[in-house]
């Protein structure tokens, strides 16, 4: 018979749960209590006591351990580690303590195997939720009006979940933020199911586990109930801001059971010494060093114990610490948005939403009222909520436990005054997926490489690694995370491999290569501020891409940018329900232009839609948003938005060398219509300042008609990220399509050539602002194809300049000709690599 262990901070509670379970399972069940501390019986948990209880309850069928909150989970995990033999037969349950113990006892008494006993314990709250119909779930997130038993809502609706991965963290955060803006209590559940949660509870909403194809039932009570439900209906139509699924494969059957026992997933076997793991090359360079797991994602360190002050004082301390944490997250978010793009920064919005989550705040508040310190109250609440996430079915949602621990840690640091925890020093950081939160805490002086089990080279996290100048390989698979801490690794960011415990000779060779690369980068940095030109003196402008305010412009100049070739203006519109007005936009653009001190600034007009949805500009759901109303198409539907932006731009153009650039142009008509809006803006503002106007070439149609379009624009900038996506019919963020998404694809290079030929026939210049512009080998080919401006992440500028200085234009042209004729992207790349100076030389 399966044994059961009950772990609680309170001896009485554990004993009581055991007595109740015995009542259900009968006297013969093997159930042991491990509550309180050993001698004193004081509140707390003790790993040794838990270990002894597990040994007493052990049988051939195994043992299920139920725990209450916080350190109980850690003590149980510790106890299993101490156990040695038999540890593989122990299962830690995410189920509720009392109901779980009772359900597990009944199942064990009936002779059920460990899997079944664990499943019964994990699902033990379902019966109670069913009985209470609309009542709150156990996480305390139930509604006051809409969720109360027997009260009819003032407004309700059923909303289909149409986005790819269902109601995961970001859409749930948007839903909560929207609901919070109305004077109404809004609750959400899965249609046809009894349990409901408050819409403002991020944890509650995520915990519903709603997937694509499910239907949500939304109910609201209060003065603005109708408005709230209508707004949520609109949000749902946009896939809760994600856009509808682009994957049209049949929806997998939705699973009614949403919780799982996390310990039931078999861990992958660690690789052996000498094994090579192959992934996707994400950031160039080589590194040798010990494996360093970002342990911060696994546990929170318990806060130091001290006597509590009065509850009002502790409450105030907690509120202040939460405010401080919120400000810190926002700072990180801005810096990540600038370096990696908005989509990656969005994940930090989830952390901001967690700080307002009732599932964390209410238990913390209760604990403080009961006499706990702010630290202890917050720590226990964060551990408990992280436990809820760890127990969810969807791998993506389980990973959100990391965000809970991130915010838990930030608030604790603010409370205790401890310095922020940073990534472990000196070595190759191993992560499941590189999140912006991870990247923000990396100490770039210490971390020599980044290895991620998941992700694609074009994903924003990889862009971030390149921006930081750290060699990186992504998409290495789950075996990566099984590598033990401290094991020596050789990471090759050029070939996309990791060697586990490399031979001494291989390690030495890699060290030497890394040294040469560091010397080369240092030399490049010393000349970063010189103008860029090829060896024979052909001037090439090297500009920066930025996506934020004046700080980013400062960063660009510091790295040697000769101007900004792409200002992604989406940042002006994010995180707000109302569009920015003309004054605000003019003011922000003016600050950026002033920071550039006379250098040119290319301002791309709003490029919303597809992967860049905006709450302030709600759009109807689209079946395939990348092919939908995005970029200039959206601006021509909302001409008021474009007109406001162009008026602001003209005001700045009166004093600074700014240029306007329209995104996602496919036809001449679009250019003519956008120019008509610009002409009207000139009349409205009375400003007739010169304003060069160009377009992004990121749709094959624009590249193929460049000669025709060139009559009506001053310049072109190739957006190779989207151009590659549309040419190869491969979604830019999909890691499975990585080989197709290379900017070296000969078909993409041909479109570059086509664009240049069409442009130069009319005396127009062509730049590139897609990711390839920052790849030294690609830069050679692009210059060889006739591109005269390259715009990239600021950190990449010095190396690209150094590369150009070492190459003759004639050789670059010859390489470009050969690359155009080559059958594969790899061969095209190899041709360019043959001209690379420094350590990248072939
Ligand atoms: C591009 O598509 O290459 C580009 C620079 O624009 P974004 O990455 O902002 O879509
Ligand atoms: Mg683009």
């Amino acid at each position: 018979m399966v044994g059961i262990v009950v772990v609680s901070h309170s001896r009485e509670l554990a004993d009581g749960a055991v007595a109740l379970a015995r009542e259900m399972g009968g006297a013969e069940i093997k159930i042991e209590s491990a509550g309180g501390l050993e001698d004193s019986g004081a509140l707390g948990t003790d790993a040794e006591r838990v270990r002894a209880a597990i040994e007493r309850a052990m049988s051939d069928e195994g043992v299920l351990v139920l725990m209450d909150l916080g350190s109980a989970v850690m003590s149980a995990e510790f106890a299993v580690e101490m156990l040695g033999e038999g540890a593989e037969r122990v299962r830690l349950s995410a189920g509720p303590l009392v109901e779980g113990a009772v359900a597990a006892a009944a199942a064990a008494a009936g002779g059920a195997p460990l899997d079944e006993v664990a499943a019964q314990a994990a699902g033990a709250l379902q019966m109670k939720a069913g009985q209470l119909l609309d009542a709150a779930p156990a996480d305390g997130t139930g509604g006051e009006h809409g969720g109360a038993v027997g009260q009819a809502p003032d407004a309700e609706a059923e909303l289909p979940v149409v986005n790819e991965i269902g109601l995961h963290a970001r859409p749930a955060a948007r839903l909560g933020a929207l609901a919070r803006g109305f004077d109404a209590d809004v609750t959400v559940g899965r249609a046809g199911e009894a349990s409901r949660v408050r819409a403002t509870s991020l944890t509650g909403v995520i915990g519903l586990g709603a997937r694509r194809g499910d239907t949500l039932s939304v109910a609201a009570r209060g003065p603005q109930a109708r408005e709230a439900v209508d707004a949520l209906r609109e949000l749902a139509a946009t896939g809760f801001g994600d856009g509808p699924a682009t994957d049209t494969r049949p929806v997998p059957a939705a699973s009614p059971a949403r919780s799982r026992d996390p310990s039931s997933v078999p861990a992958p076997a660690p690789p052996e010494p000498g094994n090579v793991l192959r992934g996707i090359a994400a950031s160039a360079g080589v590194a040798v060093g010990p494996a360093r797991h970002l342990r911060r994602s696994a546990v929170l360190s318990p806060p130091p114990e001290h006597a509590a002050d009065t509850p009002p004082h502790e409450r105030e301390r907690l509120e202040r610490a939460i405010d401080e944490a919120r400000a810190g997250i926002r700072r990180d978010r801005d810096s990540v948005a600038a370096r990696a793009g908005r989509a990656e920064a969005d994940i930090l919005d989830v952390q901001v939403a967690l700080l307002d989550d009732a599932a964390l705040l209410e238990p913390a508040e209760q604990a403080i009222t009961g006499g706990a310190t702010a630290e202890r109250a917050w720590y226990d609440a964060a551990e408990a909520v992280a436990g809820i996430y760890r127990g969810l079915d969807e791998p993506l949602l389980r990973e959100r436990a990391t965000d809970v621990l991130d915010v838990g840690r930030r608030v604790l640091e603010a409370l205790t005054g401890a310095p922020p925890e940073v990534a472990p020093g000196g070595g190759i950081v191993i992560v499941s997926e590189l999140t912006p939160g991870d990247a923000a805490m990396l100490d770039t002086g210490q971390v020599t490489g980044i290895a991620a089990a998941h992700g694609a080279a074009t994903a924003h996290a990889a862009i971030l690694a390149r921006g930081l100048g750290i060699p990186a390989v992504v998409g290495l698979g789950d075996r990566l995370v099984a590598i033990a801490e401290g094991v020596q690794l050789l990471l090759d960011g050029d070939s996309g491999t990791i060697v586990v415990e490399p031979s001494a000779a291989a390690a030495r060779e890699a060290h030497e290569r890394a040294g040469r690369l560091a010397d080369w980068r240092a030399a490049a940095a010393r000349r970063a501020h010189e103008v860029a030109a090829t060896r024979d003196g052909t001037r090439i402008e090297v500009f920066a891409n930025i996506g934020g305010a004046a700080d980013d412009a400062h960063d660009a100049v510091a790295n040697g940018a000769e101007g900004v070739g792409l200002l992604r203006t989406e940042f002006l519109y994010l995180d707000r329900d109302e569009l920015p007005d003309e004054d605000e936009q003019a003011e922000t653009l003016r600050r950026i232009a002033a920071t550039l001190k006379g250098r040119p600034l290319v301002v791309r007009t709003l490029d919303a839609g597809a992967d860049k949805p905006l709450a302030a500009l709600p759009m109807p759901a689209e079946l395939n948003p990348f092919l939908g109303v995005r970029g200039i198409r959206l601006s021509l539907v909302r001409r008021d938005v474009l007109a406001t932006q162009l008026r602001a731009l003209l005001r700045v153009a009166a004093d600074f060398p700014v240029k306007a650039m329209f995104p996602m142009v496919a036809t001449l008509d679009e250019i003519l219509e956008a120019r008509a809006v610009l002409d009207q803006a000139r009349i409205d503002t009375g400003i007739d300042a010169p304003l060069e106007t160009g377009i992004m070439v990121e749709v094959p149609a624009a590249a193929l008609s460049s000669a025709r379009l060139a009559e009506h624009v001053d310049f072109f900038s190739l957006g190779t990220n989207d151009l590659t996506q549309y040419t190869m019919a491969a979604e830019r963020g999909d890691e499975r399509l990585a080989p197709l998404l290379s900017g070296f694809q000969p078909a993409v290079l041909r479109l570059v050539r086509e664009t240049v030929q069409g442009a130069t026939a009319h005396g127009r210049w062509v730049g590139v602002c897609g990711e390839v512009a920052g790849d030294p080998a690609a830069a050679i080919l692009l210059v060889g194809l006739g591109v005269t401006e390259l715009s990239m992440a600021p950190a990449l500028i010095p190396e690209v300049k150094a590369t150009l200085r070492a190459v003759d234009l004639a050789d670059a042209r010859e390489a470009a000709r050969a690359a155009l004729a080559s059958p594969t992207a790899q061969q095209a790349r190899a041709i360019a690599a043959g001209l690379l100076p420094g350590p990248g030389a072939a």
Side-chain angles (χ1 to χ4, degrees), residues 526-539:
R526 281 194 293 276
R527 298 187 60 188
H529 294 277
E530 295 176 22
V531 293
T534 54
R535 188 162 56 190
D536 53 289
T538 309
R539 250 317 251 122

mmCIF file with all atom_site columns, all heavy atoms in Angstrom, residues 526-539:
data_model
loop_
_atom_site.group_PDB
_atom_site.id
_atom_site.type_symbol
_atom_site.label_atom_id
_atom_site.label_alt_id
_atom_site.label_comp_id
_atom_site.label_asym_id
_atom_site.label_entity_id
_atom_site.label_seq_id
_atom_site.pdbx_PDB_ins_code
_atom_site.Cartn_x
_atom_site.Cartn_y
_atom_site.Cartn_z
_atom_site.occupancy
_atom_site.B_iso_or_equiv
_atom_site.pdbx_formal_charge
_atom_site.auth_seq_id
_atom_site.auth_comp_id
_atom_site.auth_asym_id
_atom_site.auth_atom_id
_atom_site.pdbx_PDB_model_num
ATOM 1   N N   . ARG A 1 526 ? 38.260 50.449 -29.425 1.00 0.00 ? 526 ARG A N   1
ATOM 2   C CA  . ARG A 1 526 ? 39.111 51.649 -29.369 1.00 0.00 ? 526 ARG A CA  1
ATOM 3   C C   . ARG A 1 526 ? 38.885 52.559 -30.577 1.00 0.00 ? 526 ARG A C   1
ATOM 4   O O   . ARG A 1 526 ? 39.046 53.755 -30.494 1.00 0.00 ? 526 ARG A O   1
ATOM 5   C CB  . ARG A 1 526 ? 40.587 51.244 -29.275 1.00 0.00 ? 526 ARG A CB  1
ATOM 6   C CG  . ARG A 1 526 ? 41.003 50.815 -27.867 1.00 0.00 ? 526 ARG A CG  1
ATOM 7   C CD  . ARG A 1 526 ? 42.515 50.753 -27.725 1.00 0.00 ? 526 ARG A CD  1
ATOM 8   N NE  . ARG A 1 526 ? 43.104 49.705 -28.532 1.00 0.00 ? 526 ARG A NE  1
ATOM 9   C CZ  . ARG A 1 526 ? 43.205 48.428 -28.156 1.00 0.00 ? 526 ARG A CZ  1
ATOM 10  N NH1 . ARG A 1 526 ? 42.746 48.062 -26.968 1.00 0.00 ? 526 ARG A NH1 1
ATOM 11  N NH2 . ARG A 1 526 ? 43.754 47.528 -28.944 1.00 0.00 ? 526 ARG A NH2 1
ATOM 12  N N   . ARG A 1 527 ? 38.478 51.947 -31.710 1.00 0.00 ? 527 ARG A N   1
ATOM 13  C CA  . ARG A 1 527 ? 38.285 52.772 -32.922 1.00 0.00 ? 527 ARG A CA  1
ATOM 14  C C   . ARG A 1 527 ? 36.800 52.966 -33.244 1.00 0.00 ? 527 ARG A C   1
ATOM 15  O O   . ARG A 1 527 ? 36.458 53.364 -34.368 1.00 0.00 ? 527 ARG A O   1
ATOM 16  C CB  . ARG A 1 527 ? 38.997 52.109 -34.106 1.00 0.00 ? 527 ARG A CB  1
ATOM 17  C CG  . ARG A 1 527 ? 40.512 52.005 -33.907 1.00 0.00 ? 527 ARG A CG  1
ATOM 18  C CD  . ARG A 1 527 ? 41.193 51.499 -35.166 1.00 0.00 ? 527 ARG A CD  1
ATOM 19  N NE  . ARG A 1 527 ? 40.970 52.362 -36.316 1.00 0.00 ? 527 ARG A NE  1
ATOM 20  C CZ  . ARG A 1 527 ? 41.326 52.043 -37.547 1.00 0.00 ? 527 ARG A CZ  1
ATOM 21  N NH1 . ARG A 1 527 ? 41.932 50.898 -37.794 1.00 0.00 ? 527 ARG A NH1 1
ATOM 22  N NH2 . ARG A 1 527 ? 41.075 52.866 -38.560 1.00 0.00 ? 527 ARG A NH2 1
ATOM 23  N N   . ALA A 1 528 ? 35.933 52.693 -32.269 1.00 0.00 ? 528 ALA A N   1
ATOM 24  C CA  . ALA A 1 528 ? 34.486 52.725 -32.530 1.00 0.00 ? 528 ALA A CA  1
ATOM 25  C C   . ALA A 1 528 ? 34.014 54.087 -33.007 1.00 0.00 ? 528 ALA A C   1
ATOM 26  O O   . ALA A 1 528 ? 33.041 54.187 -33.748 1.00 0.00 ? 528 ALA A O   1
ATOM 27  C CB  . ALA A 1 528 ? 33.720 52.323 -31.276 1.00 0.00 ? 528 ALA A CB  1
ATOM 28  N N   . HIS A 1 529 ? 34.716 55.136 -32.582 1.00 0.00 ? 529 HIS A N   1
ATOM 29  C CA  . HIS A 1 529 ? 34.215 56.484 -32.908 1.00 0.00 ? 529 HIS A CA  1
ATOM 30  C C   . HIS A 1 529 ? 34.742 57.040 -34.213 1.00 0.00 ? 529 HIS A C   1
ATOM 31  O O   . HIS A 1 529 ? 34.384 58.143 -34.613 1.00 0.00 ? 529 HIS A O   1
ATOM 32  C CB  . HIS A 1 529 ? 34.481 57.436 -31.743 1.00 0.00 ? 529 HIS A CB  1
ATOM 33  C CG  . HIS A 1 529 ? 33.680 57.035 -30.536 1.00 0.00 ? 529 HIS A CG  1
ATOM 34  N ND1 . HIS A 1 529 ? 32.378 57.405 -30.375 1.00 0.00 ? 529 HIS A ND1 1
ATOM 35  C CD2 . HIS A 1 529 ? 33.983 56.226 -29.502 1.00 0.00 ? 529 HIS A CD2 1
ATOM 36  C CE1 . HIS A 1 529 ? 31.910 56.860 -29.264 1.00 0.00 ? 529 HIS A CE1 1
ATOM 37  N NE2 . HIS A 1 529 ? 32.865 56.132 -28.714 1.00 0.00 ? 529 HIS A NE2 1
ATOM 38  N N   . GLU A 1 530 ? 35.593 56.263 -34.880 1.00 0.00 ? 530 GLU A N   1
ATOM 39  C CA  . GLU A 1 530 ? 36.036 56.714 -36.204 1.00 0.00 ? 530 GLU A CA  1
ATOM 40  C C   . GLU A 1 530 ? 34.926 56.414 -37.208 1.00 0.00 ? 530 GLU A C   1
ATOM 41  O O   . GLU A 1 530 ? 34.139 55.489 -37.014 1.00 0.00 ? 530 GLU A O   1
ATOM 42  C CB  . GLU A 1 530 ? 37.308 55.954 -36.609 1.00 0.00 ? 530 GLU A CB  1
ATOM 43  C CG  . GLU A 1 530 ? 38.478 56.282 -35.705 1.00 0.00 ? 530 GLU A CG  1
ATOM 44  C CD  . GLU A 1 530 ? 39.710 55.445 -36.043 1.00 0.00 ? 530 GLU A CD  1
ATOM 45  O OE1 . GLU A 1 530 ? 39.805 54.949 -37.177 1.00 0.00 ? 530 GLU A OE1 1
ATOM 46  O OE2 . GLU A 1 530 ? 40.555 55.288 -35.144 1.00 0.00 ? 530 GLU A OE2 1
ATOM 47  N N   . VAL A 1 531 ? 34.880 57.189 -38.288 1.00 0.00 ? 531 VAL A N   1
ATOM 48  C CA  . VAL A 1 531 ? 33.832 56.922 -39.277 1.00 0.00 ? 531 VAL A CA  1
ATOM 49  C C   . VAL A 1 531 ? 34.098 55.574 -39.942 1.00 0.00 ? 531 VAL A C   1
ATOM 50  O O   . VAL A 1 531 ? 35.220 55.087 -39.952 1.00 0.00 ? 531 VAL A O   1
ATOM 51  C CB  . VAL A 1 531 ? 33.752 58.015 -40.371 1.00 0.00 ? 531 VAL A CB  1
ATOM 52  C CG1 . VAL A 1 531 ? 33.291 59.321 -39.788 1.00 0.00 ? 531 VAL A CG1 1
ATOM 53  C CG2 . VAL A 1 531 ? 35.082 58.146 -41.095 1.00 0.00 ? 531 VAL A CG2 1
ATOM 54  N N   . ALA A 1 532 ? 33.044 54.988 -40.477 1.00 0.00 ? 532 ALA A N   1
ATOM 55  C CA  . ALA A 1 532 ? 33.200 53.671 -41.088 1.00 0.00 ? 532 ALA A CA  1
ATOM 56  C C   . ALA A 1 532 ? 33.446 53.811 -42.580 1.00 0.00 ? 532 ALA A C   1
ATOM 57  O O   . ALA A 1 532 ? 32.804 54.621 -43.249 1.00 0.00 ? 532 ALA A O   1
ATOM 58  C CB  . ALA A 1 532 ? 31.945 52.846 -40.848 1.00 0.00 ? 532 ALA A CB  1
ATOM 59  N N   . ALA A 1 533 ? 34.380 53.025 -43.061 1.00 0.00 ? 533 ALA A N   1
ATOM 60  C CA  . ALA A 1 533 ? 34.659 52.988 -44.497 1.00 0.00 ? 533 ALA A CA  1
ATOM 61  C C   . ALA A 1 533 ? 35.347 51.664 -44.801 1.00 0.00 ? 533 ALA A C   1
ATOM 62  O O   . ALA A 1 533 ? 35.939 51.048 -43.912 1.00 0.00 ? 533 ALA A O   1
ATOM 63  C CB  . ALA A 1 533 ? 35.587 54.146 -44.890 1.00 0.00 ? 533 ALA A CB  1
ATOM 64  N N   . THR A 1 534 ? 35.264 51.222 -46.045 1.00 0.00 ? 534 THR A N   1
ATOM 65  C CA  . THR A 1 534 ? 35.987 50.009 -46.421 1.00 0.00 ? 534 THR A CA  1
ATOM 66  C C   . THR A 1 534 ? 37.466 50.359 -46.579 1.00 0.00 ? 534 THR A C   1
ATOM 67  O O   . THR A 1 534 ? 37.837 51.538 -46.563 1.00 0.00 ? 534 THR A O   1
ATOM 68  C CB  . THR A 1 534 ? 35.448 49.454 -47.755 1.00 0.00 ? 534 THR A CB  1
ATOM 69  O OG1 . THR A 1 534 ? 35.510 50.497 -48.723 1.00 0.00 ? 534 THR A OG1 1
ATOM 70  C CG2 . THR A 1 534 ? 34.014 48.982 -47.611 1.00 0.00 ? 534 THR A CG2 1
ATOM 71  N N   . ARG A 1 535 ? 38.301 49.310 -46.773 1.00 0.00 ? 535 ARG A N   1
ATOM 72  C CA  . ARG A 1 535 ? 39.752 49.563 -46.808 1.00 0.00 ? 535 ARG A CA  1
ATOM 73  C C   . ARG A 1 535 ? 40.129 50.539 -47.928 1.00 0.00 ? 535 ARG A C   1
ATOM 74  O O   . ARG A 1 535 ? 41.037 51.347 -47.788 1.00 0.00 ? 535 ARG A O   1
ATOM 75  C CB  . ARG A 1 535 ? 40.510 48.240 -46.976 1.00 0.00 ? 535 ARG A CB  1
ATOM 76  C CG  . ARG A 1 535 ? 42.000 48.400 -46.824 1.00 0.00 ? 535 ARG A CG  1
ATOM 77  C CD  . ARG A 1 535 ? 42.698 47.110 -46.560 1.00 0.00 ? 535 ARG A CD  1
ATOM 78  N NE  . ARG A 1 535 ? 42.411 46.119 -47.611 1.00 0.00 ? 535 ARG A NE  1
ATOM 79  C CZ  . ARG A 1 535 ? 42.737 44.848 -47.518 1.00 0.00 ? 535 ARG A CZ  1
ATOM 80  N NH1 . ARG A 1 535 ? 43.307 44.390 -46.417 1.00 0.00 ? 535 ARG A NH1 1
ATOM 81  N NH2 . ARG A 1 535 ? 42.459 44.021 -48.507 1.00 0.00 ? 535 ARG A NH2 1
ATOM 82  N N   . ASP A 1 536 ? 39.398 50.472 -49.028 1.00 0.00 ? 536 ASP A N   1
ATOM 83  C CA  . ASP A 1 536 ? 39.708 51.365 -50.153 1.00 0.00 ? 536 ASP A CA  1
ATOM 84  C C   . ASP A 1 536 ? 39.064 52.733 -49.985 1.00 0.00 ? 536 ASP A C   1
ATOM 85  O O   . ASP A 1 536 ? 39.104 53.556 -50.891 1.00 0.00 ? 536 ASP A O   1
ATOM 86  C CB  . ASP A 1 536 ? 39.222 50.725 -51.458 1.00 0.00 ? 536 ASP A CB  1
ATOM 87  C CG  . ASP A 1 536 ? 37.769 50.341 -51.339 1.00 0.00 ? 536 ASP A CG  1
ATOM 88  O OD1 . ASP A 1 536 ? 37.483 49.387 -50.595 1.00 0.00 ? 536 ASP A OD1 1
ATOM 89  O OD2 . ASP A 1 536 ? 36.902 51.020 -51.923 1.00 0.00 ? 536 ASP A OD2 1
ATOM 90  N N   . GLY A 1 537 ? 38.421 52.979 -48.859 1.00 0.00 ? 537 GLY A N   1
ATOM 91  C CA  . GLY A 1 537 ? 37.919 54.326 -48.562 1.00 0.00 ? 537 GLY A CA  1
ATOM 92  C C   . GLY A 1 537 ? 36.460 54.578 -48.910 1.00 0.00 ? 537 GLY A C   1
ATOM 93  O O   . GLY A 1 537 ? 35.996 55.716 -48.821 1.00 0.00 ? 537 GLY A O   1
ATOM 94  N N   . THR A 1 538 ? 35.719 53.546 -49.287 1.00 0.00 ? 538 THR A N   1
ATOM 95  C CA  . THR A 1 538 ? 34.289 53.759 -49.589 1.00 0.00 ? 538 THR A CA  1
ATOM 96  C C   . THR A 1 538 ? 33.526 53.965 -48.279 1.00 0.00 ? 538 THR A C   1
ATOM 97  O O   . THR A 1 538 ? 33.555 53.101 -47.403 1.00 0.00 ? 538 THR A O   1
ATOM 98  C CB  . THR A 1 538 ? 33.701 52.537 -50.330 1.00 0.00 ? 538 THR A CB  1
ATOM 99  O OG1 . THR A 1 538 ? 34.553 52.236 -51.431 1.00 0.00 ? 538 THR A OG1 1
ATOM 100 C CG2 . THR A 1 538 ? 32.283 52.805 -50.783 1.00 0.00 ? 538 THR A CG2 1
ATOM 101 N N   . ARG A 1 539 ? 32.841 55.077 -48.169 1.00 0.00 ? 539 ARG A N   1
ATOM 102 C CA  . ARG A 1 539 ? 32.130 55.407 -46.917 1.00 0.00 ? 539 ARG A CA  1
ATOM 103 C C   . ARG A 1 539 ? 30.891 54.542 -46.765 1.00 0.00 ? 539 ARG A C   1
ATOM 104 O O   . ARG A 1 539 ? 30.080 54.428 -47.684 1.00 0.00 ? 539 ARG A O   1
ATOM 105 C CB  . ARG A 1 539 ? 31.654 56.853 -47.000 1.00 0.00 ? 539 ARG A CB  1
ATOM 106 C CG  . ARG A 1 539 ? 32.256 57.886 -46.186 1.00 0.00 ? 539 ARG A CG  1
ATOM 107 C CD  . ARG A 1 539 ? 32.598 57.724 -44.778 1.00 0.00 ? 539 ARG A CD  1
ATOM 108 N NE  . ARG A 1 539 ? 31.697 58.516 -43.940 1.00 0.00 ? 539 ARG A NE  1
ATOM 109 C CZ  . ARG A 1 539 ? 30.950 58.023 -43.001 1.00 0.00 ? 539 ARG A CZ  1
ATOM 110 N NH1 . ARG A 1 539 ? 30.976 56.746 -42.727 1.00 0.00 ? 539 ARG A NH1 1
ATOM 111 N NH2 . ARG A 1 539 ? 30.187 58.816 -42.275 1.00 0.00 ? 539 ARG A NH2 1
#
